[in-house]
């Protein structure tokens, strides 16, 4: 699998980042199988969060075996320094490790939450303390709304985050305001040599009222290989600024994304966009998203 430099952190991360949200509601056997599937495919960057149900607990038992083989990122969704400090230490215990490569400020989707994180007594203070004490190596920021790129740009103005995890897919890129906000964020990331990662690459649309939710994702994902491959090719082949994309929060979709990464060389970004343009119900996942 292709690897790309994780900004100034220097790690050569696989372009597929294992989205461990997929482990939040599964048993240990299913989690172990999915982790092994990722490792066998060459994925060496794992992304989890304290808020992902039991995901950290599912990853923990594998850490003694794989810790030196992976880049490990987690997130804290708490907003005060005291709460975040407790959660970071809890994550270390649950993950059965003495250090985390990247702690991320989770779900910073609007300026109100950015103010809480970066203000006096905010969770960023706990992350900085954890870095100073050697518990974490780097500090990042994440978010998942249509406003995320603009909020993350403001976040970089306030603090020199090592990484940014923000949404991007073909449909979002067709919105002029979103595209402009994303372009401004890319400029700032390049200027600081931070790492830019993305989420929601295979989001097709939100679930409709009354629709059976056939996957664990909060949005309706692409599950046809043709579209998964096109979405992957459009993003990775056309956006060299992106280090990698997080795989979907559903273990059953991991293999399709691995296949897509392998097959994407056959598609130009333009051809991939043409395929995705065929999808009649392609829409932003952030419309009527769950709270």
């Amino acid at each position: 699998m292709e690897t790309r430099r994780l900004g100034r952190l220097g790690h050569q991360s696989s372009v597929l980042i294992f989205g461990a949200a997929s482990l939040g509601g599964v048993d240990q056997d299913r989690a172990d199988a999915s982790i092994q599937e990722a490792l066998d495919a060459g994925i060496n960057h794992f992304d989890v969060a304290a808020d992902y149900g039991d995901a950290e607990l599912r990853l923990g038992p594998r850490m003694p075996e794989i810790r030196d083989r992976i880049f490990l990122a987690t997130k804290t969704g708490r907003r005060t320094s005291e709460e975040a400090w407790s959660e970071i230490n809890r994550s270390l215990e649950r993950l059965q490790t003495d250090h985390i490569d990247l702690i991320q400020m989770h779900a910073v989707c609007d300026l109100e939450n950015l103010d809480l994180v970066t203000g006096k007594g905010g969770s960023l203070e706990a992350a900085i303390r954890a870095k100073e004490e050697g518990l974490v190596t780097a500090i990042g920021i994440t978010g998942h709304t249509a406003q995320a790129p603009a909020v993350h740009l403001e976040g970089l103005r306030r603090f020199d985050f090592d990484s940014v995890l923000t949404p991007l897919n073909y449909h979002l890129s067709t919105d002029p305001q979103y595209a402009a906000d994303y372009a401004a964020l890319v400029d700032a990331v390049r200027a600081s040599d931070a790492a830019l990662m993305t989420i929601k690459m295979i989001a097709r649309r939100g679930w409709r009222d009354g629709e059976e939710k056939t996957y664990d994702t909060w949005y309706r994902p692409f599950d046809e290989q043709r579209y998964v491959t096109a979405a992957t090719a459009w993003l990775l082949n056309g956006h060299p600024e992106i280090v990698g994309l997080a795989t979907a929060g559903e273990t059953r979709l991991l293999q399709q994304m691995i296949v897509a990464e392998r097959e994407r060389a056959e598609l130009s970004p333009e051809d991939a966009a043409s395929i995705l343009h065929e999808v009649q119900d392609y829409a932003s996942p952030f419309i009527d998203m769950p709270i």
Side-chain angles (χ1 to χ4, degrees), residues 93-149:
E93 293 176 3
R94 284 157 58 104
L95 289 166
Q96 299 184 36
T97 184
D98 61 0
H99 74 285
I100 294 164
D101 296 308
L102 176 65
I103 184 67
Q104 298 160 104
M105 306 295 97
H106 192 195
V108 185
C109 304
D110 53 41
L111 291 176
E112 179 182 1
N113 274 277
L114 182 63
D115 288 343
L116 292 173
V117 166
T118 60
K120 183 175 175 56
S123 54
L124 181 59
E125 292 182 0
I128 293 170
R129 177 185 172 189
K131 183 175 180 179
E132 290 172 347
E133 296 190 12
L135 303 180
V136 306
T137 303
I139 302 171
I141 188 170
T142 82
H144 49 266
T145 63
Q147 293 73 45

Side-chain angles (χ1 to χ4, degrees), residues 22 41 94 101 172 187 193 219 223 244-245 260:
S22 61
R94 284 157 58 104
D101 296 308
L172 291 170
D187 288 343
D193 197 21
Y219 53 86
D223 56 3
L245 56 95

Side-chain angles (χ1 to χ4, degrees), residues 44-66:
N44 68 0
H45 185 143
F46 281 55
D47 182 87
V48 68
D51 287 335
Y52 291 164
D54 289 338
E56 290 182 332
L57 291 172
R58 295 291 169 260
L59 275 176
R62 297 297 302 273
M63 282 303 130
E65 172 196 354
I66 70 171

Side-chain angles (χ1 to χ4, degrees), residues 166-195:
T166 210
L168 186 66
N169 62 34
Y170 171 68
H171 182 81
L172 291 170
S173 77
T174 65
D175 178 87
Q177 185 60 58
Y178 198 94
D181 290 344
Y182 176 77
L185 176 62
V186 170
D187 288 343
V189 164
R190 283 175 167 159
S192 66
D193 197 21

Side-chain angles (χ1 to χ4, degrees), residues 205-250:
R205 56 171 170 77
W207 294 109
R208 293 169 176 161
D209 289 343
E211 182 178 16
E212 181 185 1
K213 295 183 178 180
T214 51
Y215 295 100
D216 290 338
T217 47
W218 60 262
Y219 53 86
R220 168 72 165 90
F222 285 121
D223 56 3
E224 306 95 325
Q225 190 64 57
R226 171 179 172 82
Y227 297 131
V228 176
T229 298
T232 305
W234 177 84
L235 193 138
L236 289 178
N237 296 352
H239 292 273
E241 76 278 4
I242 293 170
V243 173
L245 56 95
T247 59
E250 166 62 68

